């Protein structure tokens, strides 16, 4: 060594959240509210953009036409894949931890929007059909034993109930609990339905 100091590598930049500066998540949250609370014909790209705090052109850039945005809102597949991505003997705990973390990260529940479609006969009925196909039937296909359809429906109900409870008590005890602690309390009932 000649007395000169070795160059210290510059720190690597912090990872940038995928949504920073794009508004994509804000648009999705606004679209989920709009499509689940109002008839399809009353929802506009301009209204979704205003609710998301972005320009209508940005909504179109990310999602295309209103029909394509609605299809994105009605797609539970990616969320269901993430929720069900665990071995059966750990699935109950995984579902609770994943659901709570996703709610906190995205400020939105991955499944609860289906509840707002209940009783509606317009395009919102597609939300129920997709939920049944992509969540309930996908879960049923993974379950062993008897009464798989009934158990899958009850598990889906438990997940919706957890989301509804956390939404109802936004500043309650559940908001202060870690996802792991919530799983300690909530997952055993789910696991009993999973294993049959």
């Amino acid at each position: 060594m000649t007395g000169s100091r070795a160059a210290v590598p510059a720190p690597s930049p912090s990872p940038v959240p995928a949504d920073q500066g794009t508004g994509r998540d804000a648009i999705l949250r606004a679209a989920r509210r709009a499509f689940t609370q109002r008839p399809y014909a009353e929802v506009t790209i301009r209204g979704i953009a205003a609710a998301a705090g972005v320009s209508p052109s940005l909504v179109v850039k990310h999602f295309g036409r209103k029909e394509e945005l609605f299809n994105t809102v009605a797609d539970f597949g990616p969320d269901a894949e993430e929720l069900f991505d665990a071995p059966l003997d750990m699935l109950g705990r995984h579902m609770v931890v994943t659901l709570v973390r996703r709610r906190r990260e995205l400020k939105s529940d991955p499944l609860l929007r289906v509840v707002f479609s209940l009783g509606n006969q317009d395009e919102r009925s597609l939300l129920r059909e997709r939920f049944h196909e992509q969540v309930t039937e996908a879960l049923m296909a993974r379950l062993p034993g008897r009464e798989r359809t009934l158990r899958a429906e009850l598990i889906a109900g438990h997940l919706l109930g957890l989301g509804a409870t956390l939404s109802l008590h936004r500043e309650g005890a559940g908001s202060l609990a870690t996802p792991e602690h919530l799983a300690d309390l909530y997952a055993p009932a789910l696991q009993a339905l999973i294993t049959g």
Side-chain angles (χ1 to χ4, degrees):
M1 198 185 277
T2 62
S4 64
R5 299 180 68 181
V8 178
S12 59
S14 302
V16 177
D19 187 48
Q20 185 173 348
T22 69
R24 191 175 198 284
D25 287 343
I27 293 166
L28 265 180
R29 284 193 299 272
R32 285 175 173 174
R33 280 192 304 273
F35 284 124
T36 56
Q37 295 173 4
R38 294 197 305 278
Y40 180 86
E42 293 179 10
V43 177
T44 65
I45 293 288
R46 189 174 299 281
I48 290 169
V54 300
S55 69
S57 62
L58 190 61
V59 176
V60 173
K61 176 183 174 187
H62 282 299
F63 297 100
R65 300 182 332 261
K66 181 170 92 166
E67 179 182 355
E68 294 163 320
L69 180 54
F70 179 79
N71 281 330
T72 301
V73 167
D75 185 6
F76 294 94
D79 293 317
E81 286 177 20
E82 187 175 357
L83 282 170
F84 304 156
D85 187 24
L88 280 179
D89 63 339
M90 299 174 62
L91 186 56
R93 182 172 190 81
H94 172 80
M95 288 192 293
V96 173
V97 169
T98 302
L99 182 111
V100 174
R101 284 185 179 155
R102 295 272 297 159
R103 284 180 57 88
R104 291 178 180 176
E105 290 167 7
L106 301 178
K107 309 285 188 255
S108 174
D109 191 281
L111 302 177
L112 199 54
R113 64 190 179 274
V114 74
V115 172
F116 297 101
S117 71
L118 300 178
N120 294 310
Q121 299 305 315
D122 61 9
E123 288 85 350
R124 288 173 285 181
S125 64
L126 179 62
L127 286 168
R128 293 193 302 278
E129 293 168 17
R130 291 265 180 90
F131 185 90
H132 181 74
E133 173 190 316
Q134 296 174 333
V135 177
T136 310
E137 287 184 2
L139 183 55
M140 183 191 67
R142 292 207 57 204
L143 298 179
R146 300 172 51 192
E147 298 188 289
R148 294 180 310 136
T149 302
L150 176 58
R151 287 166 38 224
E153 290 173 0
L154 292 172
I155 292 165
H158 272 279
L159 293 172
L160 291 171
L162 177 59
T165 299
L166 294 174
S167 292
L168 183 63
H169 303 287
R170 286 189 193 280
E171 297 177 12
S175 69
L176 303 174
T178 66
E180 292 75 18
H181 184 56
L182 288 171
D184 291 341
L185 298 171
Y186 204 81
L190 282 172
Q191 195 61 45
L193 288 166
I194 290 164
T195 56

